[in-house]
Amino acid sequence: MLVKLIKKGAEADIYTGMWNNSKSVFKIRKIKNYRNSLLDSKIRKQRTIKESQILSQVKSFGIPSPLVYFINLEKSMIVMQEIPGKSVHDLSNSKIIGVSKEIGKLVGLLHKNGVMHGDLTTSNFILFKNIIYMIDFGLSQNTIKPEDHAVDLRLIKEILNSAHAKIMESSWKNFLLGYKSIVGITYQTKIVKLVADIESRGRYAQVV
Ligand SMILES: Nc1ncnc2c1ncn2[C@@H]1O[C@H](COP(=O)(O)OP(=O)(O)O)[C@@H](O)[C@H]1O
Ligand SMILES: [Mg+2]
């Protein structure tokens, strides 16, 4: 098995290589020495299971995601289809504005089906052949709580605000258009209100 390291993340290392003649990504969660080793292996196993389950589950909602080929819990490794596109984070400003509505729709589909992503950044969407794929479900949860869904929106809004500041307004507007088209105006209004609540609490916390 010939693999090549492509990304060293905080939590996992990402390798690419072949798996049964398919170009694949190997996501391997790293041992954290600062954690008690029993607890650490439990957390890594748990997140590996959760991520592989949700990667498959979201397909039934109509969300494009990598196919899961194999998991090895001892190594906390997931072998999945490689999506050989470009991370939305690395797209040009005009393209990010263009895909924001579709991203909003995908997040709407996720929430409508009772799942929160947990790490909703532009690096966790890949554009390939005009299709947006969602990845990185290690922190996902099955939840229908509006407060949890608001946490997702608040994070992506924050990322657009910081990493993509020049296009914040148009991409956020498009995101919300897409989101609303799936969850409906009543739910969207409720979540946006909760996002504003979280934001004002954040500002207040900074002042004191
Ligand atoms: N299936 C995949 N196909 C292509 N690239 C991937 C795939 N999975 C992960 N990557 C790349 O590796 C990066 C890190 O993977 P990710 O699952 O997001 O882990 P992390 O928890 O470290 O963010 C992604 O941002 C993406 O660039
Ligand atoms: Mg990621």
Side-chain angles (χ1 to χ4, degrees):
M1 186 165 74
L2 197 62
V3 292
K4 179 172 146 239
L5 179 68
I6 58 160
K7 237 158 222 154
K8 273 182 104 63
E11 205 208 348
D13 289 335
I14 306 287
Y15 301 82
T16 52
M18 297 302 284
W19 182 266
N20 291 336
N21 294 322
S22 299
K23 286 186 95 180
S24 303
V25 159
F26 299 70
K27 179 168 181 173
I28 304 176
R29 288 191 154 75
K30 290 186 284 197
I31 295 171
K32 301 275 189 187
N33 285 317
Y34 61 79
R35 278 199 293 245
N36 167 287
S37 70
L38 271 179
L39 177 67
D40 179 61
S41 77
K42 203 172 151 191
I43 291 174
R44 283 184 291 116
K45 270 185 195 165
Q46 220 168 40
R47 291 190 181 163
T48 303
I49 293 170
K50 197 75 201 168
E51 176 157 32
S52 59
Q53 281 174 340
I54 296 201
L55 272 166
S56 307
Q57 189 190 11
V58 298
K59 286 182 181 299
S60 66
F61 311 157
I63 298 173
S65 65
L67 279 163
V68 175
Y69 294 144
F70 185 75
I71 71 170
N72 180 328
L73 285 184
E74 294 312 311
K75 294 187 175 127
S76 45
M77 172 177 84
I78 299 176
V79 185
M80 67 184 108
Q81 179 187 13
E82 179 183 359
I83 310 299
K86 204 167 176 180
S87 152
V88 166
H89 179 269
D90 300 331
L91 296 177
S92 68
N93 280 348
S94 63
K95 283 208 172 124
I96 295 181
I97 295 173
V99 299
S100 290
K101 187 172 175 196
E102 180 63 19
I103 289 180
K105 280 189 186 174
L106 296 179
V107 176
L109 283 171
L110 200 65
H111 290 177
K112 197 176 173 176
N113 287 282
V115 175
M116 88 177 275
H117 185 279
D119 191 17
L120 214 54
T121 70
T122 45
S123 303
N124 288 333
F125 293 91
I126 300 175
L127 176 63
F128 176 57
K129 289 192 175 167
N130 255 345
I131 294 175
I132 302 277
Y133 290 77
M134 207 186 257
I135 62 165
D136 199 1
F137 293 95
L139 297 175
S140 297
Q141 280 180 52
N142 293 88
T143 168
I144 54 162
K145 270 172 70 187
E147 288 77 10
D148 290 334
H149 298 169
V151 168
D152 266 353
L153 260 64
R154 143 89 192 181
L155 180 59
I156 187 86
K157 189 182 176 194
E158 183 63 35
I159 297 289
L160 291 172
N161 217 346
S162 52
H164 314 282
K166 282 188 192 142
I167 55 162
M168 161 65 194
E169 265 178 47
S170 22
S171 54
W172 182 240
K173 193 185 103 218
N174 283 348
F175 177 95
L176 288 179
L177 277 175
Y179 188 74
K180 183 174 69 183
S181 76
I182 301 294
V183 303
I185 184 141
T186 312
Y187 195 71
Q188 189 247 27
T189 308
K190 180 176 186 150
I191 300 301
V192 168
K193 167 89 177 39
L194 286 169
V195 170
D197 290 350
I198 303 172
E199 285 171 344
S200 65
R201 277 207 299 277
R203 270 193 293 277
Y204 181 69
Q206 271 160 24
V207 173
V208 287

